[in-house]
Amino acid sequence: MVPLHDDNPTTITPVVTYGLIGINIAVFVFQLSLSQEGIDGFFDAWALVPAQLTGSFQGALQAPIYEWITLLSSQFLHGGFFHIGGNLLYLWVFGNNIEDRLGHIKFLIFYLGCGALAGLTQWIFDPSSALPTIGASGAIAGVMGAYILRFPRARIVTLIPLIIIFTTVRIPAVFFLGFWFVQQALFSIASLGSDAGSGGGVAYWAHSGGFVFGLILGPLLGLMGGKVRSPRR
């Protein structure tokens, strides 16, 4: 299922959402200019590598504070066109309404905070992994967690492939996002039995953790204040 847009009006221009999308695209374009050796070094420096974060806690690294920065910088790195395209589509669909509710500054704090906590969740369940954890998925999962809490009845216009044809349906957010979270949670649990707790290269625990922290941080930052506007039909 591919979300195209929601029937949920906003009252502001979501400049932070647009800015985050722009920064992610700019960093990805820079990545494309690098050689394979260059991209490996770039990821090693700026991606969240659980084993390196563990080493920083144990005093094994000379610059432990630097490793904490990767909890933020890793959110702007992506592994390919489908990776960044899927992430930014979800941010485009769901981010504007949460920014509208929280305001620009609180939304930025919320977004980066959810992303950092999502990365820590992945680290907790796989602290010895040497695989770089990259992508905005954890932060966007936080946005989705806040969205399902604040706008459960909003309709998500969703593209669904039916064998050789495509159709669109309007699905309530509580079902669309609820299904997404249950799927990620099941994949997270399944990854515990794998050699690499990242679930075959996908940071499912970051997805699940980001969603849960979105449910928690959103109300703390004022998500539930004010009246919910009726979605368009």
Side-chain angles (χ1 to χ4, degrees):
M1 298 188 297
V2 180
L4 300 179
H5 64 85
D6 61 0
D7 293 336
N8 198 5
T10 59
T11 61
I12 63 171
T13 300
V15 293
V16 174
T17 298
Y18 294 160
L20 290 169
I21 290 173
I23 293 172
N24 275 282
I25 292 174
V27 173
F28 186 69
V29 170
F30 173 73
Q31 289 179 212
L32 295 177
S33 70
L34 300 175
S35 64
Q36 184 58 53
E37 182 180 355
I39 197 69
D40 290 342
F42 187 64
F43 280 0
D44 184 66
W46 298 108
L48 171 62
V49 181
Q52 293 180 5
L53 186 60
T54 300
S56 72
F57 291 134
Q58 298 172 344
L61 302 178
Q62 294 182 346
I65 296 178
Y66 171 80
E67 286 303 316
W68 282 92
I69 297 176
T70 64
L71 289 169
L72 298 178
S73 61
S74 61
Q75 300 177 36
F76 298 93
L77 310 180
H78 289 85
F81 287 99
F82 285 106
H83 189 199
I84 189 173
N87 277 350
L88 296 188
L89 174 61
Y90 274 73
L91 178 57
W92 173 271
V93 172
F94 300 109
N96 59 344
N97 291 107
I98 302 306
E99 183 175 351
D100 190 30
R101 290 288 85 197
L102 295 180
H104 305 306
I105 301 301
K106 285 185 178 180
F107 175 70
L108 181 60
I109 295 171
F110 169 82
Y111 178 91
L112 295 176
C114 284
L117 291 168
L120 283 175
T121 303
Q122 184 66 30
W123 169 77
I124 288 172
F125 286 95
D126 198 13
S128 61
S129 174
L131 293 175
T133 299
I134 59 174
S137 303
I140 297 169
V143 172
M144 294 160 65
Y147 194 102
I148 196 175
L149 186 64
R150 181 59 171 160
F151 307 106
R153 294 185 293 176
R155 300 283 175 166
I156 312 301
V157 179
T158 306
L159 180 67
I160 298 180
L162 298 174
I163 307 177
I164 60 174
I165 62 174
F166 294 86
T167 187
T168 59
V169 296
R170 283 173 164 78
I171 302 175
V174 66
F175 295 118
F176 184 97
L177 298 176
F179 175 79
W180 183 91
F181 174 69
V182 170
Q183 183 184 51
Q184 301 304 308
L186 291 175
F187 284 146
S188 298
I189 294 170
S191 72
L192 291 175
S194 65
D195 292 334
S198 55
V202 179
Y204 290 117
W205 282 109
H207 299 175
S208 301
F211 192 95
V212 171
F213 282 113
L215 293 172
I216 297 172
L217 293 182
L220 292 178
L221 290 173
L223 177 70
M224 307 309 290
K227 295 182 179 179
V228 179
R229 294 173 297 279
S230 298
R232 297 173 185 151
R233 296 184 181 276

